[in-house]
Amino acid sequence: MEKNTTNDFLMQIQFSTKTLAQADFDSVKKAKPALARLLALATDCVILAYGKADLNKKTPGSLLLELDVLLGGSVTRAKVAGDLNGKEASQCLLRAEASWLKAGVKAKRVLLVGLGDPSPKAGLSLQSYAKLAKATFKTLSGGAIESATWFVPSFGANADADTVVKQVRLTAQLAGEQTYRFGVRQPAMKFKAVEHVDPFQELLFVACKDTAKAVQVAVHQGEALVEGMNLAKDLGNLPPNVCTPTYLAKTAQGLMKKTKLKVELLTKKQMEALGMGSFLSVAQGSETPPQFIIMRHNGGKASEAPTVLVGKGITFDTGGISLKPGEAMDEMKYDMCGAASVVGTLLSASLLGLKQNVIGVIPTCENMPSGKATRPGDIVKSMSGQTIEILNTDAEGRLILCDALTYVERFKPKAVIDIATLTGACVIALGAVHSGMFSDDNHLLADLTQAGNDSLDTVWRMPLDAAYQEQLKSNFADMANIGGRPAGSVTAACFLKRFTEKYPWAHLDIAGTAWKGGAAKGSTGRPVPLLVNYLLAQS
């Protein structure tokens, strides 16, 4: 058995792998011995998948038939009771009986998961796979089950190595989402901060010999991804009186003790010397000082052009002088989720030891109303030299990002991706399903779309036509910071585009996907899965 652990980090779920020689259900002679070895593992639950067609198979060697023999008729009894129907994502939990012990079965439970009727050629789609994985973890979570064993071959015996990697990586991602609890790894916000910790804490992936290496790789990738997501969620969920720009900076610096990441902070004087007038105009209304964080994962050659991720880090957004309505304003602590996703992604990149250079850049401050705050009508000068008329102080994210996008020119990047909870207009356009994606670079668009599909952290391409630039015209400066209500998310992206002419660039508007409101309020950790999958593909 090989354990995959991210040393020095407190994972809320632990992953490991094991290989069973000759575990091949396509072979009649090998099915029963493979199942016997699997069920002999000391685990709270073994997870097996089956299709509708398996219900009618009476050929010796079929999964359900051999399982029924080992479990003393438990499968037959479940089938007669109507608990076993093979429908997609259906769940049938078999609990240990006395007859199991006679067959040497040590597993306390067997969970049978229905595959439905997957195509014999195409197999399970990633969306269908995710559906049954989510249903499975919902069954496992919140009860007495502490450990489970996921038998990879039963979910697609004919899958190629690439498909296996995507499926297993996604399985780890979904398990991490199910088991995440706020209050486990950060300053306690409640008197009983961890009273609802899920007892389900260990997931063992068992593979057959021909896919063992692929599974081990995928589990390691999934574990690092989950760790990055957890950090992004923690940062997003912390209250704004704790997660200040200073806290974000210290969190990034703290990662240097546990990883090979390098972190640099620019002082306010350095920002002033660089001419970051746009960024500093947003920060000037707050008593809390701004921070400009630069994180480096140096995994490639020194001469290799880096991928640069830029994250919006408004740790609380009142709207400034253009004050927001009071309703749900508490959720404006999530206006730094772009920054949180960059910190989380850089952590994942380091834990994975990616053989490439990745730089994270985070401009972070508060947007507060005060006697020092920027007023509507003010004109500020950006680091690029372009002047901006501020018509609405609540359109502040683009004002801090534009200076960061100018700053990253010095890295001569091969690609720059900015991530921001930028506009309510994107929420209206796409809801909470897709993040908005803006770019003129077709290769970057294709790569991000594929990474989103592989992680189910999806994006949708939005327009970036030059005609929208007309809405940003100003009578008094080079541009206005808003273009009116029509196409609000598009004009925001068009504003940023003016600062990105020297490198391939994409903008992700995550305003609808970074957190959930209402009773399910909390950070989603998106788009860490998308970004990690993108970086893995670039490797």
Side-chain angles (χ1 to χ4, degrees):
M1 185 183 298
E2 178 176 325
K3 288 189 176 181
N4 294 274
T5 56
T6 49
N7 295 328
D8 299 322
F9 291 92
L10 177 61
M11 290 285 288
Q12 294 181 38
I13 182 169
Q14 299 293 329
F15 301 106
S16 57
T17 60
K18 183 179 179 63
T19 304
L20 286 183
Q22 298 180 337
D24 182 0
F25 282 103
D26 290 334
S27 170
V28 172
K29 295 181 180 179
K30 297 173 183 176
K32 189 172 181 178
L35 264 180
R37 289 193 297 274
L38 181 67
L39 297 174
L41 297 174
T43 180
D44 285 345
C45 187
V46 170
I47 304 162
L48 294 168
Y50 71 101
K52 279 187 176 181
D54 294 318
L55 287 172
N56 300 318
K57 281 187 179 179
K58 296 183 179 180
T59 308
S62 65
L63 185 150
L64 291 182
L65 185 63
E66 297 298 349
L67 183 65
D68 198 36
V69 173
L70 290 168
L71 300 186
S74 294
V75 176
T76 297
R77 288 191 288 276
K79 188 176 178 181
V80 171
D83 295 334
L84 211 57
N85 54 37
K87 292 181 180 178
E88 185 180 65
S90 63
Q91 310 279 300
C92 179
L93 187 64
L94 306 177
R95 289 177 169 80
E97 301 176 10
S99 59
W100 293 21
L101 294 174
K102 296 178 181 178
V105 176
K106 295 181 181 179
K108 296 179 181 178
R109 302 167 186 82
V110 173
L111 179 61
L112 294 172
V113 182
L115 296 175
D117 291 310
S119 166
K121 292 184 179 180
L124 272 179
S125 68
L126 206 58
Q127 289 76 14
S128 293
Y129 182 89
K131 181 180 178 181
L132 61 91
K134 287 178 181 179
T136 298
F137 292 129
K138 189 174 182 180
T139 299
L140 297 176
S141 183
I145 297 175
E146 296 180 5
S147 63
T149 299
W150 187 285
F151 190 47
V152 176
S154 66
F155 285 85
N158 300 319
D160 56 58
D162 183 58
T163 300
V164 169
V165 168
K166 289 179 180 179
Q167 288 182 342
V168 173
R169 187 167 66 215
L170 184 61
T171 307
Q173 175 186 326
L174 296 173
E177 288 181 1
Q178 180 65 39
T179 57
Y180 172 80
R181 295 294 185 276
F182 177 68
V184 174
R185 308 183 304 172
Q186 61 283 106
M189 299 297 123
K190 292 184 178 182
F191 181 68
K192 295 182 179 180
V194 293
E195 61 182 335
H196 297 302
V197 172
D198 196 324
F200 175 46
Q201 296 178 10
E202 292 184 32
L203 184 60
L204 169 67
F205 290 90
V206 175
C208 53
K209 192 173 183 180
D210 59 344
T211 59
K213 289 184 178 180
V215 170
Q216 288 174 1
V217 167
V219 171
H220 176 55
Q221 292 173 350
E223 183 179 46
L225 189 159
V226 168
E227 191 59 42
M229 281 186 73
N230 284 350
L231 179 56
K233 289 179 181 180
D234 286 347
L235 290 171
N237 288 330
L238 283 169
N241 61 322
V242 173
C243 189
T244 63
T246 302
Y247 185 93
L248 267 182
K250 288 183 178 179
T251 298
Q253 286 179 313
L255 295 179
M256 289 194 291
K257 299 177 182 179
K258 303 175 180 180
T259 69
K260 295 182 179 180
L261 289 171
K262 305 297 181 184
V263 178
E264 175 189 357
L265 304 179
L266 298 186
T267 64
K268 186 177 179 181
K269 286 186 177 180
Q270 287 175 306
M271 295 180 229
E272 290 171 343
L274 288 166
M276 293 184 177
S278 184
F279 173 30
L280 293 173
S281 73
V282 178
Q284 70 189 42
S286 174
E287 296 294 326
T288 303
Q291 301 286 340
F292 196 91
I293 307 165
I294 304 153
M295 305 177 68
R296 297 174 186 264
H297 167 69
N298 299 319
K301 296 179 181 179
S303 59
E304 178 188 316
T307 297
V308 180
L309 307 177
V310 180
K312 173 187 171 184
I314 300 294
T315 58
F316 193 76
D317 181 19
T318 65
I321 297 298
S322 305
L323 194 67
K324 291 178 179 290
E327 184 180 359
M329 193 194 282
D330 63 288
E331 294 185 12
M332 288 302 97
K333 70 177 185 176
Y334 293 115
D335 211 16
M336 43 63 68
C337 283
S341 71
V342 171
V343 177
T345 300
L346 265 290
L347 171 58
S348 295
S350 183
L351 294 175
L352 287 168
L354 293 181
K355 303 298 182 183
Q356 57 183 292
N357 297 325
V358 186
I359 299 176
V361 173
I362 299 168
T364 175
C365 65
E366 294 177 331
N367 185 23
M368 300 288 285
S370 74
K372 298 179 181 179
T374 300
R375 297 156 291 241
D378 284 359
I379 293 177
V380 297
K381 189 176 182 179
S382 69
M383 184 180 173
S384 70
Q386 299 176 88
T387 58
I388 305 163
E389 182 182 13
I390 300 174
L391 299 180
N392 189 318
T393 63
D394 194 23
E396 85 299 328
R398 65 202 73 182
L399 296 176
I400 74 171
L401 288 173
C402 69
D403 280 346
L405 291 170
T406 300
Y407 181 85
V408 303
E409 290 176 5
R410 66 192 56 211
F411 301 130
K412 295 180 173 56
K414 65 178 180 182
V416 175
I417 304 166
D418 79 71
I419 307 101
T421 50
L422 205 63
T423 65
C426 198
V427 183
I428 299 302
L430 299 175
V433 178
H434 304 295
S435 296
M437 176 175 63
F438 302 79
S439 180
D440 285 335
D441 189 292
N442 289 327
H443 291 294
L444 192 50
L445 286 166
D447 289 344
L448 287 170
T449 300
Q450 185 62 55
N453 291 339
D454 289 345
S455 60
L456 300 187
D457 185 2
T458 53
V459 291
W460 192 266
R461 184 178 185 178
M462 300 285 280
L464 201 59
D465 304 47
Y468 290 106
Q469 293 283 358
E470 292 293 314
Q471 294 176 229
L472 295 173
K473 282 187 174 180
S474 166
N475 291 343
F476 309 107
D478 293 323
M479 71 193 84
N481 77 323
I482 59 170
R485 290 178 63 85
S489 62
V490 179
T491 54
C494 286
F495 178 96
L496 296 177
K497 187 178 186 297
R498 296 187 179 206
F499 302 86
T500 63
E501 299 299 329
K502 296 185 179 181
Y503 45 73
W505 162 79
H507 161 59
L508 300 179
D509 193 330
I510 60 169
T513 58
W515 81 92
K516 296 178 181 179
K521 185 187 298 182
S523 173
T524 64
R526 294 179 66 179
V528 172
L530 161 68
L531 296 172
V532 171
N533 274 261
Y534 169 79
L535 293 175
L536 284 169
Q538 299 306 303
S539 297

